[in-house]
Amino acid sequence: MIVRPDAPIGVFDSGYGGLSVAMEILQRQEHDNIVFVADQAHVPYGTRPLSQVQGFASAITETLAAGGCKAVVMACNISSATALPEMVEQYREIPVLGVIAPGAESASIATISGRVGVLATEGTVASGAYVRALEQFTRVSNVVQVACPRFVPLVEAGTVSGAEVDSAVREYLQPLKDAGVDAVILGCTHYPFLLKALQKEWSLPVYVNPAYATVTRLIAELGSKRLNRSGHIGARRHLAVTTGDLEEFRSGLRWYLGDKAKEFTVKPATWRKGKIVIPNLPPSSK
Ligand code: DGL
């Protein structure tokens, strides 16, 4: 498998949440292009059986890697919780990263009391992946997880403020307030878009967005595999694909990315016999 430093970075999620990670990559890897995949035909992932999510995440990773991407970032906690180890093993030539280990490490640094809260989807909570990752750090003494099924549909609908958001935020933060945590992991990539509402309800804890540490790891791994691109590439051209409604996706990208959305070509992707087909990816150089 030949991988080129000028190949794009593949990034995927069930929906708009992955943009919170993509935005971090765009900001810090200014010479790179990305391919962003939103599997909106299957959103939300968080209420599905873990084995099904593992299947989606593995298939998307395989298509991005076979299409020549120089790295694949699972910008999705539940995908990271289910599919990451196998995919890392399968694609040793390129960095394949998830968000859970970087998020757990950031929280272990942020906490003073040792009590860490995790807001995540039902599936990520049930997987126990954050609990296992946080247990590695002696600074962490207590982990309190809260499943937040109301959040993803709100963010997918572009609703990040207002009465409905405030009521969901109040409900989900209460157990963390009761437990007295001082660091709260945003354990679903959709949740950073609700940060203002969370801080308005409870400003005390440090809210940890795993995106920052994930991209730090991505940069380090690209460097160690000599896949960092140096030099100017002119105007950036990113690709964004959805398995859902194309027009809604176009306006969703504008809503979440603002002017940056102009740098994206938007196309449909389709599921065929358990594989995802993404147009415009360079053919595999395997
Ligand atoms: N944003 C994804 C995550 O980080 C999945 C959310 C969902 O589709 O339920 O887990």
Side-chain angles (χ1 to χ4, degrees), residues 18 38 59 63 67 77 111 124 151 164-165 175 209 213 215 248-249 253-254 258 279:
T63 294
N77 288 260
T111 185
T124 297
F151 278 169
E164 244 183 296
V165 169
N209 177 356
V215 177
E248 270 177 31
F249 184 56
L253 284 182
R254 278 197 297 270

Side-chain angles (χ1 to χ4, degrees), residues 22-31 211-217 219 236:
M23 278 153 60
E24 192 67 37
I25 298 174
L26 295 181
Q27 235 171 55
R28 288 165 65 191
Q29 284 297 86
E30 54 179 13
H31 300 307
Y212 186 79
T214 302
V215 177
T216 302
R217 282 192 191 195
I219 294 168
R236 290 160 102 190

Side-chain angles (χ1 to χ4, degrees), residues 13-14 17-18 43-47 75-78 121 124 152 187-190:
D13 184 31
S14 60
V43 69
Y45 275 7
T47 48
C76 173
N77 288 260
I78 188 164
T121 63
T124 297
V152 167
C188 167
T189 53
H190 283 71

